[in-house]
Amino acid sequence: MDIMFLKFLNICTCLLKRLSCNSVEKKIYINLNETFPCVRLLNATHQIGCQSSLSGDVGVLHLLESEENLDWVLRTGPNPPYMVILESTLFTRPILMKLKNGSSRVAGVLAVQPTSNPPEGFSPHTSCPNENTGVYSETYGPSYAHCNVTMWNPLGTGISYEEFDFPIFSVKDDNDTEVIRRCYMEHNRAVNGSTPQYPLCAMQLMSHMAAVTDTATCMRRNAPTFSLAPDGVCDPLGDANIWASTKPLNSSTKGHKDGVSVVIAATKLDSRSFFFDVAPGADSAATGLVALLAAASALHNATAELNRTILYTFFNGETFDYIGSSRMVYDMAKNDFTVDLDNIHSILEVGQVALGPDSRLWLHSDPVSKRNSSVNVETLVSNLQAAAAGLNLSLGEPNVTQPLPPSSFQRFLLERPIPGVVIENHQTSFTNKYYQSMFDNAEYLKLNYPPNLTPEEQLELVTDSAKALTEVATTVARGLYLQAGGELAQMSRIQADSELVSKMLYTFLVRVNNSWFDQLVKSDWTGVLSELMLYEINTSERKVKTTEPALMVQCILANLTGSIANITEGNCQDKKMDKDENMNKDIYSYLWVQGPVRPNSTERDSFCVRSLVRQSKALSPAFELSEYTSKNYSTWAESRWSAIKGRIFLVASHDLEMLTLGVGVGVLLMSLLLTYIVSSKADILFSSGREPTNATY
């Protein structure tokens, strides 16, 4: 009984100590609830991004009010290093580079996300995206290489491709930001030129990155014989391409298919921004994939009459030197894909297609391959122009000779000349002034909803943006129909659905978890998907191999182009129509989806969807070949990290800290001395006279 009591007492003591520690920590620190870090990426030659020291970087908060105020941070401020708070208007390349060059006095940067997009535009990407991995080089159209003719992203500052040796975080302009500002105003703000007095408000940002130098170095350190970290230090960027054919193709037999002529309809799945997990990609990714999905739906009942096969392809990792498209081309060239390059008839790629006030789209083609008489681009262009007839948009070709914009089509041209067109909303430079940034969002597309609507009413509302994109989808669908051998007289019955486009825009850009999308996915996916979609590519070694956009596109494409199979859930998961079938799983894919909610019930009518939708690898061939210094393929990898967090607290002066440390050391020494004296004299201090043996009481 005594032993049990002592155990109980010991447990209670431990719990009290833990609660006391947590209570003390909460009184000292205020944790930032939602932060978005800049992380480290590596390629064949160098590293980019940001990181903190192993235990995090600490600095006194300073709210930068203007660029002139930088002198306080970089030279005159008496309490370096500083943690600099930047409003969005000051988050510019000149200021960041000055902070980088004075990094000995800079502990980190906290960027405040604005509540609305900056009207002047903002793009942290380069001005010439993917310039070293496209088709144009010293051996192919050298006059077009390195954006010599057209600077595609003139607002690009390139800060996403700089290296910073201090952490840079972003926070939303909400309660966290208000607490930070109040802490700064109460403790750190200099009044009338006076020096702020201690205690001062400080911040700690933690984002230590495990990988350094370049991809070759980090992959070498990943090797079990070298790495001290059991999980490695970096992962190659990689994910999955999603594709579907309009006619059955046996996926178990690779390489050339006799008698098969394929029209590839392509778009990209990914985007990025300066900060990790903030990549809305509204125009750079979402408009193209929504238009192609809507076009696939419009063509669903018309493909049987076509003599060519349409191959819908959604490439992943295109932002990082065309990872997805280069892998598909590589597989085709190696006869490791369902079709090969000889089967390709032509390519139509859908890029950034958010319509501007002039409702005009542009058809871009390669001026070099067009010189080859065997490359017939004119037919594809005329089919698209015929497809747009009678719709509320117009198509044109650039009036100057210029190269293709950054596009997946370029990776196919690296292998051989193929007729192709890239459809975009810009004639020369991008009209998207928020390219690859956090501001390429629903607001930029003017995807506005009245404030009094419920989420369900917003889902059902057909916005003006959706109506405009429906016209684009109809044009794409009709153009593909004609290019695949359809009759011009039958083209007018091909029409995209504006309600479907509106639901997809809402799902991809506003709210993923909604009643329409919930019925298209497996039940175990609903808790996994984020509330807001992020178009960032995954890393190939993570547990989840496929990112949310790829999973979503796979589900939506299967439901739009597939059919309901009247089979059990078990047979659906086993990928066969009945227990004796073994062949169709190489042709069809099967997906058991939740289905709609029954009336007046919480139960759902689940069913099996059989479709021709497939996944293929979107991992750069450089990692298959172990060519980590390759100049032909993407070599991008992402560093691993252990913790990402930020917190604020009050810090005492250095003199007071030293005084406290000195007093503590003094008390410790005094205690040791006293303990020694007591221990050495214990026989005297604690001895007691022995009582006589004959004592009586």
Side-chain angles (χ1 to χ4, degrees):
M1 190 69 177
D2 291 339
I3 294 175
M4 292 298 295
F5 176 75
L6 289 173
K7 287 184 177 179
F8 175 75
L9 186 63
N10 187 44
I11 292 172
C12 290
T13 303
C14 291
L15 288 173
L16 286 172
K17 285 182 178 179
R18 184 173 181 181
L19 289 172
S20 177
C21 291
N22 288 338
S23 177
V24 171
E25 183 180 0
K26 288 180 180 178
K27 289 180 179 179
I28 296 175
Y29 299 105
I30 298 177
N31 292 314
L32 304 180
N33 296 319
E34 194 172 14
T35 58
F36 305 94
C38 158
V39 300
R40 173 169 289 171
L41 299 172
L42 311 98
N43 66 7
T45 58
H46 63 292
Q47 62 188 25
I48 63 172
C50 320
Q51 80 150 359
S52 73
S53 59
L54 185 60
S55 58
D57 291 342
V58 177
V60 173
L61 279 178
H62 181 76
L63 177 62
L64 196 68
E65 298 175 351
S66 65
E67 188 169 355
E68 291 74 23
N69 193 228
L70 270 174
D71 192 62
W72 177 274
V73 175
L74 301 177
R75 296 179 186 85
T76 63
N79 304 305
Y82 287 99
M83 194 68 68
V84 184
I85 307 172
L86 288 181
E87 301 289 353
S88 61
T89 53
L90 297 176
F91 192 76
T92 62
R93 181 180 178 86
I95 289 179
L96 286 175
M97 297 309 291
K98 288 178 181 178
L99 292 174
K100 175 181 176 178
N101 295 332
S103 59
S104 62
R105 290 177 57 91
V106 179
V109 171
L110 187 74
V112 179
Q113 296 181 23
T115 55
S116 60
N117 289 356
E120 68 276 8
F122 174 79
S123 175
H125 207 75
T126 61
S127 57
C128 188
N130 290 354
E131 66 173 305
N132 296 315
T133 49
V135 68
Y136 302 106
S137 64
E138 285 69 24
T139 58
Y140 188 99
S143 61
Y144 303 120
H146 308 294
C147 296
N148 286 334
V149 175
T150 303
M151 191 62 67
W152 296 110
N153 186 32
L155 292 179
T157 62
I159 59 173
S160 287
Y161 291 84
E162 291 287 344
E163 180 192 1
F164 299 91
D165 58 1
F166 49 77
I168 302 180
F169 280 42
S170 174
V171 292
K172 293 182 178 179
D173 194 358
D174 55 13
N175 294 336
D176 278 348
T177 313
E178 189 60 34
V179 171
I180 294 169
R181 287 195 180 104
R182 187 167 64 249
C183 188
Y184 167 78
M185 297 298 289
E186 291 177 357
H187 297 278
N188 295 17
R189 184 178 174 86
V191 180
N192 299 325
S194 62
T195 301
Q197 300 298 310
Y198 285 98
L200 297 174
C201 190
M203 177 179 287
Q204 180 187 39
L205 296 179
M206 183 179 293
S207 61
H208 179 69
M209 299 290 144
V212 294
T213 310
D214 52 38
T215 297
T217 302
C218 83
M219 293 301 291
R220 185 174 67 252
R221 293 178 178 176
N222 275 350
T225 56
F226 185 90
S227 179
L228 298 177
D231 296 328
V233 296
C234 72
D235 299 308
L237 293 185
D239 210 287
N241 295 324
I242 306 299
W243 61 272
S245 58
T246 54
K247 295 182 180 180
L249 296 172
N250 193 327
S251 61
S252 64
T253 59
K254 308 294 185 181
H256 187 72
K257 297 285 192 298
D258 291 332
V260 175
S261 180
V262 171
V263 177
I264 292 181
T267 192
K268 63 183 289 189
L269 272 173
D270 64 298
S271 182
R272 72 167 300 201
S273 78
F274 184 83
F275 297 102
F276 181 76
D277 266 359
V278 189
D283 195 15
S284 59
T287 56
L289 67 88
V290 167
L292 189 53
L293 286 169
S297 175
L299 285 168
H300 178 48
N301 295 321
T303 55
E305 63 202 62
L306 304 178
N307 53 33
R308 295 190 182 97
T309 301
I310 301 174
L311 192 71
Y312 306 112
T313 56
F314 298 82
F315 292 122
N316 223 328
E318 298 305 274
T319 301
F320 294 97
D321 294 332
Y322 307 118
I323 293 174
S325 56
S326 64
R327 180 53 187 261
M328 183 172 284
V329 172
Y330 174 82
D331 289 341
M332 286 182 174
K334 296 290 184 181
N335 289 323
D336 198 23
F337 191 73
T338 307
V339 295
D340 68 359
L341 294 167
D342 290 330
N343 289 122
I344 299 176
H345 173 268
S346 52
I347 296 175
L348 172 62
E349 182 170 350
V350 185
Q352 303 178 95
V353 289
L355 288 179
D358 59 354
S359 297
R360 192 168 179 82
L361 294 176
W362 298 92
L363 306 178
H364 298 264
S365 55
D366 174 40
V368 179
S369 61
K370 283 170 67 174
R371 300 168 189 162
N372 190 328
S373 59
S374 63
V375 178
N376 183 7
V377 180
E378 288 73 17
T379 299
L380 178 54
V381 170
S382 62
N383 284 336
L384 287 167
Q385 289 174 335
L391 298 177
N392 293 324
L393 59 78
S394 59
L395 298 180
E397 292 185 89
N399 53 18
V400 295
T401 301
Q402 64 180 12
L404 285 168
S407 52
S408 307
F409 179 39
Q410 292 196 33
R411 295 300 304 189
F412 287 85
L413 289 175
L414 273 171
E415 286 294 322
R416 62 181 60 188
I418 298 173
V421 163
V422 180
I423 184 169
E424 299 268 5
N425 57 12
H426 55 89
Q427 181 180 10
T428 53
S429 300
F430 295 161
T431 57
N432 183 359
K433 57 184 179 180
Y434 306 113
Y435 182 73
Q436 306 287 24
S437 80
M438 69 175 74
F439 306 117
D440 186 11
N441 52 23
E443 179 188 341
Y444 171 58
L445 295 187
K446 296 182 174 60
L447 201 62
N448 302 318
Y449 299 93
N452 59 334
L453 295 184
T454 65
E456 192 65 24
E457 290 171 337
Q458 291 178 354
L459 175 66
E460 298 295 333
L461 179 67
V462 179
T463 62
D464 291 338
S465 299
K467 293 175 183 177
L469 196 57
T470 302
E471 298 289 278
V472 177
T474 300
T475 301
V476 171
R478 291 178 178 181
L480 289 170
Y481 176 79
L482 295 177
Q483 188 69 7
E487 296 293 333
L488 182 62
Q490 302 296 320
M491 180 192 70
S492 59
R493 62 189 176 92
I494 308 296
Q495 177 65 48
D497 183 356
S498 60
E499 292 184 3
L500 173 64
V501 171
S502 188
K503 287 181 171 68
M504 287 195 289
L505 283 176
Y506 183 84
T507 300
F508 282 110
L509 296 176
V510 180
R511 187 184 179 90
V512 172
N513 296 313
N514 59 71
S515 60
W516 174 76
F517 183 65
D518 283 348
Q519 64 185 313
L520 306 181
V521 299
K522 297 192 296 184
S523 59
D524 57 345
W525 286 5
T526 54
V528 176
L529 298 174
S530 302
E531 191 64 32
L532 180 63
M533 185 49 49
L534 303 170
Y535 295 91
E536 289 192 317
I537 188 173
N538 213 339
T539 52
S540 63
E541 300 301 321
R542 290 182 184 162
K543 292 181 180 179
V544 179
K545 298 295 184 181
T546 310
T547 49
E548 292 177 6
L551 289 174
M552 292 175 63
V553 167
Q554 182 179 1
C555 284
I556 295 173
L557 187 60
N559 280 272
L560 296 181
T561 62
S563 59
I564 297 177
N566 189 22
I567 58 176
T568 65
E569 182 177 359
N571 282 339
C572 187
Q573 292 176 345
D574 291 338
K575 301 180 180 181
K576 54 188 178 183
M577 291 295 290
D578 56 61
K579 63 180 182 179
D580 299 321
E581 182 194 45
N582 291 313
M583 296 298 296
N584 276 342
K585 65 181 180 180
D586 294 326
I587 299 175
Y588 296 98
S589 65
Y590 295 82
L591 182 67
W592 186 263
V593 300
Q594 291 191 112
V597 178
R598 297 171 187 169
N600 303 318
S601 173
T602 58
E603 300 293 323
R604 290 181 176 271
D605 289 322
S606 301
F607 55 89
C608 184
V609 175
R610 187 177 79 160
S611 70
L612 298 170
V613 179
R614 296 281 181 179
Q615 286 189 10
S616 64
K617 279 187 178 181
L619 178 66
S620 172
F623 296 100
E624 295 284 325
L625 302 169
S626 297
E627 296 179 357
Y628 306 131
T629 58
S630 172
K631 295 182 179 179
N632 299 320
Y633 298 111
S634 172
T635 55
W636 285 106
E638 182 181 87
S639 174
R640 291 190 177 186
W641 57 83
S642 56
I644 299 290
K645 63 180 181 181
R647 57 188 183 180
I648 61 173
F649 54 95
L650 293 180
V651 62
S653 68
H654 183 70
D655 293 340
L656 180 58
E657 288 177 339
M658 291 299 100
L659 176 61
T660 304
L661 177 62
V663 171
V665 172
V667 171
L668 174 63
L669 295 175
M670 292 276 295
S671 301
L672 292 174
L673 180 61
L674 183 62
T675 302
Y676 172 76
I677 294 172
V678 171
S679 176
S680 63
K681 303 295 182 180
D683 56 337
I684 299 174
L685 295 174
F686 303 109
S687 65
S688 60
R690 295 177 61 86
E691 295 180 350
T693 57
N694 59 351
T696 60
Y697 298 93

